[in-house]
Amino acid sequence: MTDYQLMKRGELVEVLLNKLVLQNRHWTEKGSVASYIPELARASSSHFGVFTMTGEGKNFHAGDFNELFTIQSVAKPLVLLLALLDNGVEAVFKKVGMEPTGKAFNSIDYLEGSTQKKPLNPMMNIGTITIYSLIRGKDNDEKFQRILKFTKELSGNHNLTYDQSVYLSEKSTGDRNRAMGYLLRNIGTIKENVEELVDIHFRVSSILVTCKDIARIGLVLANHGIDPDTGKRIIPKNLTQIVNTIMMTCGMYDGAGEFAVKVGLPAKSGVSGGIMCIVPNRMGIGVYAPSLDEKGNSLAGTKLLEALSTELSLSIF
Amino acid sequence: MTDYQLMKRGELVEVLLNKLVLQNRHWTEKGSVASYIPELARASSSHFGVFTMTGEGKNFHAGDFNELFTIQSVAKPLVLLLALLDNGVEAVFKKVGMEPTGKAFNSIDYLEGSTQKKPLNPMMNIGTITIYSLIRGKDNDEKFQRILKFTKELSGNHNLTYDQSVYLSEKSTGDRNRAMGYLLRNIGTIKENVEELVDIHFRVSSILVTCKDIARIGLVLANHGIDPDTGKRIIPKNLTQIVNTIMMTCGMYDGAGEFAVKVGLPAKSGVSGGIMCIVPNRMGIGVYAPSLDEKGNSLAGTKLLEALSTELSLSIF
Amino acid sequence: MTDYQLMKRGELVEVLLNKLVLQNRHWTEKGSVASYIPELARASSSHFGVFTMTGEGKNFHAGDFNELFTIQSVAKPLVLLLALLDNGVEAVFKKVGMEPTGKAFNSIDYLEGSTQKKPLNPMMNIGTITIYSLIRGKDNDEKFQRILKFTKELSGNHNLTYDQSVYLSEKSTGDRNRAMGYLLRNIGTIKENVEELVDIHFRVSSILVTCKDIARIGLVLANHGIDPDTGKRIIPKNLTQIVNTIMMTCGMYDGAGEFAVKVGLPAKSGVSGGIMCIVPNRMGIGVYAPSLDEKGNSLAGTKLLEALSTELSLSIF
Amino acid sequence: MTDYQLMKRGELVEVLLNKLVLQNRHWTEKGSVASYIPELARASSSHFGVFTMTGEGKNFHAGDFNELFTIQSVAKPLVLLLALLDNGVEAVFKKVGMEPTGKAFNSIDYLEGSTQKKPLNPMMNIGTITIYSLIRGKDNDEKFQRILKFTKELSGNHNLTYDQSVYLSEKSTGDRNRAMGYLLRNIGTIKENVEELVDIHFRVSSILVTCKDIARIGLVLANHGIDPDTGKRIIPKNLTQIVNTIMMTCGMYDGAGEFAVKVGLPAKSGVSGGIMCIVPNRMGIGVYAPSLDEKGNSLAGTKLLEALSTELSLSIF
């Protein structure tokens, strides 16, 4: 609690973040950087940064918070949110479930034996591909541009672009996602052109962000849809709560349960090493460290979030 | 929000609870009462009650809040809590995981192919049986008495007993639990006598409670271990947070994800129709309605909790 | 045994076949014709024919033995045989297993958790797609033409063609096969262009045959590779034995075990209602009846084969 | 073929068997002896024997054919046969399926999601326990004595006993079988006392046999129920064919498909290193070599059977 009082004095929060980066830096030497495409394999495993942003407009950071990395699955909550805005809650969850699976992010299982043919949740790849099919747009490019614009709006960074070489490399190796797309067509969940859907997926996954960008997106979710700069509501509260909840139960894949116990906050990880973490009503957090644990979550990033949650009593439980 | 202001004036909260019982009573006609033993099948499906208890010592209730029912799986968080007190966090989670499964409560799956031979989480039956093996006691009866005493302490009801006929009936039909026990011995997770372990499980499951009893247990968890009457800490905060978190991710079985989205609170259901629900820092809730949905959770109880959470903005997300 | 003596006098075998068609015709009214594409759905469920061909050059038939139907999965043993000829035994079984699965023909499971990333057997769709990747040819068309030529050679029918409308319809709806193809690429089992592989698969599946055609192919397998007209060996014995064995353990999908018990002969079914059945050293049998049981095998065809095997003591066990 | 001509002259078959034992002896150094109980772990991995018995009464043998070993799962076909005699075909297969599973012998899966709650086949442990429930007898001891008597009759060895220490050791560690028993009770497949059923199972598994004993049992099955000494039918032909077929599709567990391809004969293995193999109409074979491959089948035994089948063209395909 003393730490939290320190928190009120900005300079000391910065001290705390720096301390946590220092204490957890050794974790960057464990685990391994994603290597399924050369562009990701090139990431420096020593990079380690954190950025926190509060509703009162206070920003703190430490380490390599300025590094650019591809957003990867951290985009999933955003795409879900846009799909909810485009279609409403009922229409979205007709196509995808809300249940955690205890399975890896790239599991191809769907509700086996169920009368409802739909992926178990929107945080797994097979669920996300389904969600992409619900994004409005007259063609594939417009759909992507709408997601990019939405990402710019929530991150407050209007210069976001995507990494062309990561995109092309993902596209050339993304056969598992194609398999999921065709399976979804086969079971009647989607009608769209699979190659187009996975193309959006690969482009969105390649959007370049920093810890600050995802911290601010997290803050909009923590604020339940209030833009932190204008104070205006840009997303209905109930939609942000749905997304936060699904991040809690499904956001860290088959490590979601342990993350919930140890950190106690909704979060979403990506294979490039980013984690976006939400402290409802209080804060958005972005961390980045490319070396991953065996479940595909940033190892040092997770450890830092555990320590930060403990030090500042952030758990919502 | 107006409702929450009303909440401050006790008489109006009572009005709200009564309204919600009335509005959701029709759900008691859907679903079906558990019938695997005659004692449960005899429950009146028209019973429907709710009890809320706040940290400030305010109690409200509506409907059949005074009905006695067997605690069943609502006891699981308590038994986990006692095991944590007895053994510490690390020792407990060496034996059982923290991950939701997307599977039914009586699924016999364990971490297939894993190097760690342990059930996925302590809210599934196979995990709970593992947890019983960790309860201290010189013999089976002492172990049970310790759990009963702990339940009395948390519920504040020192007259709790267990229903002998439910216990014997569960015991005579509980072969699936026996199967799980022997499987756990086979994979080396437990060493204990299986018949004794399932005997404790059946006795604990048969403890008779009311909505008030489980609301007060929920309040201790919501209070992070502070006894609401004495104001004294009786359980370390971190243990209550662990239990609350696991209730959120795993407490409602393969309906946990949907419950999290719609209610946004940690909860644990039992096959007799009870649900214990935790509003961290604020409130414990007990509901009872014996008719179950297809996932084994009280149907009217779930609906009432959805409405109550919405009306009072209780979601922690 | 008396029946078998009758068999020696050709006219009486014909009588037997006619009797069995008559006795089992009522089964054509049960089950249902495949309807996933309109071309298959149009098949007349009343069609029911059988053709037997022995090594001594005796041919018998009954019912609608002259009807044309698409070969569908009855082609799988042929394609496997050609792959074995093209690559040798070792190279083929490096890519695909030999084990029955207890699962449906279109199951997308592969050797989960195995160090060898390969489909469980070549009779499931995912195994067959793997096998297509092993067929030699400078381009996709040459590969198909080689399979067609091989089918002509084994059937002795040099006028075989494929049904263009079935081919196009399968191709336009074949997303599950595409999903399997992309999954195989993802796990590294195949390197080929998926769209080309499934294109061959759909063309081969659309080859039009009669009961006589598949009876003669069956006879070559029963003869262990001796052409029944010329008496010359056209395939090594060991390869035909491998194919016959795999038909026995895996040819009738998750009904293979029951078929083995009731008929006792290697066989391969197709979704259009054909079954090719092998009586080693003695006979090839082709049956056709489009209405399928719940496992996707011709219902009346299976019943007729059961009766024929019993009457003539054909079981190899 | 020359070898087969030699076969007619007994002294040369003996030469062949000796050659095969010699050539395959090096396989006894690979794999590993079952070690889940000390009694099995004590088996000498260098033991390697074979015994063949033909319908004409010719017996040949080589290596350690006189070694005693516990029958283990080689008893499964016998118990199935007795259950078929006791109950008829229909009643038995109402309780257990006929389908291979692609899974390990001790898999606890049953027909998941099926309307029929029954184990997939009688060669897996869970299926065998079901089969034991069908053996007639006024009490557990009479049931066991009937199985022992039947084993004596088929083996022609009236001095068979069971190994008390193996029995007790299996019984004290057999929790996985107990788990299966209780699961079977839970799903309603069996009503019997689980401890009694597994007790019979452990006693039967502990019956001591030699290669000769199981070769003669195999010969009765190969002869379709004719006693080789008296020439009298002791079992109906159709029942022996059912058992032979199920041995072919399910007898070697998840190695059944490969064994079928490489040996082409029905067979049943046991964890102590025995394999009983049937050459329909011709021969029974018993082999023994305790070191097992990773699927639980005798490694050197399997290799010897592959070679013997190839040399004498024994495959039924």
Side-chain angles (χ1 to χ4, degrees), chain B residues 101-143:
Chain B
T101 65
K103 291 184 180 158
F105 71 99
N106 61 357
S107 171
I108 204 163
D109 286 343
Y110 54 96
L111 279 169
E112 203 73 54
S114 166
T115 50
Q116 295 173 295
K117 295 283 192 183
K118 57 185 191 182
L120 273 163
N121 72 62
M123 295 294 112
M124 306 184 75
N125 282 3
I126 195 167
T128 296
I129 293 169
T130 308
I131 294 297
Y132 279 112
S133 78
L134 296 168
I135 299 298
R136 302 243 164 118
K138 69 174 193 301
D139 59 21
N140 216 38
D141 195 58
E142 183 175 310
K143 289 175 189 184

Side-chain angles (χ1 to χ4, degrees), chain A residues 98-102 224 241-242 244-246 248-249 254-258 260-261 266 280 315-317, chain B residues 98-102 224 241-242 244-246 248-249 254-258 260-261 266 280 315-317:
Chain A
M98 304 174 173
E99 297 305 328
T101 65
H224 297 126
Q241 286 190 311
I242 288 172
N244 290 345
T245 308
I246 288 175
M248 174 61 84
T249 53
D254 47 334
E258 188 175 341
V261 165
S315 165
I316 59 177
F317 297 104
Chain B
M98 304 174 172
E99 297 304 327
T101 65
H224 296 125
Q241 286 190 311
I242 288 171
N244 290 346
T245 308
I246 288 175
M248 173 61 84
T249 54
D254 47 334
E258 187 175 342
V261 165
S315 166
I316 58 177
F317 298 104

Side-chain angles (χ1 to χ4, degrees), chain C residues 173-188:
Chain C
T173 59
D175 289 328
R176 195 170 187 90
N177 287 302
R178 278 182 189 88
M180 291 174 185
Y182 284 110
L183 193 60
L184 289 167
R185 288 237 307 192
N186 172 252
I187 63 174

Side-chain angles (χ1 to χ4, degrees), chain C residues 92-113:
Chain C
V92 168
F93 291 107
K94 234 172 162 165
K95 290 289 184 189
V96 70
M98 304 173 171
E99 297 305 327
T101 65
K103 290 185 180 158
F105 71 99
N106 61 356
S107 171
I108 205 163
D109 287 343
Y110 53 97
L111 278 169
E112 203 73 54

Side-chain angles (χ1 to χ4, degrees), chain C residues 1 98-102 224 237 240-242 244-246 248-249 253-258 260-262 266 280 295 313 315-317, chain D residues 98-102 224 237 240-242 244-246 248-249 253-262 266 280 295 313 315-317:
Chain C
M1 282 301 133
M98 304 173 171
E99 297 305 327
T101 65
H224 297 124
K237 179 175 182 181
T240 60
Q241 286 190 312
I242 288 172
N244 290 346
T245 308
I246 288 175
M248 174 60 85
T249 53
Y253 309 121
D254 47 334
E258 187 174 343
V261 166
K262 294 193 173 163
K295 303 197 165 172
S313 287
S315 166
I316 58 177
F317 298 103
Chain D
M98 304 173 173
E99 297 305 327
T101 64
H224 297 126
K237 178 175 183 181
T240 60
Q241 285 190 311
I242 287 171
N244 290 345
T245 308
I246 288 174
M248 174 61 84
T249 54
Y253 310 120
D254 48 334
E258 188 175 341
F259 187 90
V261 165
K262 294 194 173 162
K295 300 195 168 175
S313 286
S315 166
I316 59 177
F317 298 103

Side-chain angles (χ1 to χ4, degrees), chain A residues 1-2 7 11 55-56 73 102 104 122 132 135 138 179-180 212 226 279 286 291 310:
Chain A
M1 282 299 132
T2 328
M7 182 87 179
E11 66 277 18
E56 299 80 36
S73 293
Y132 279 112
I135 299 298
K138 70 174 192 299
M180 291 175 184
K212 181 177 181 181
I226 304 295
V279 191
S291 203
T310 304

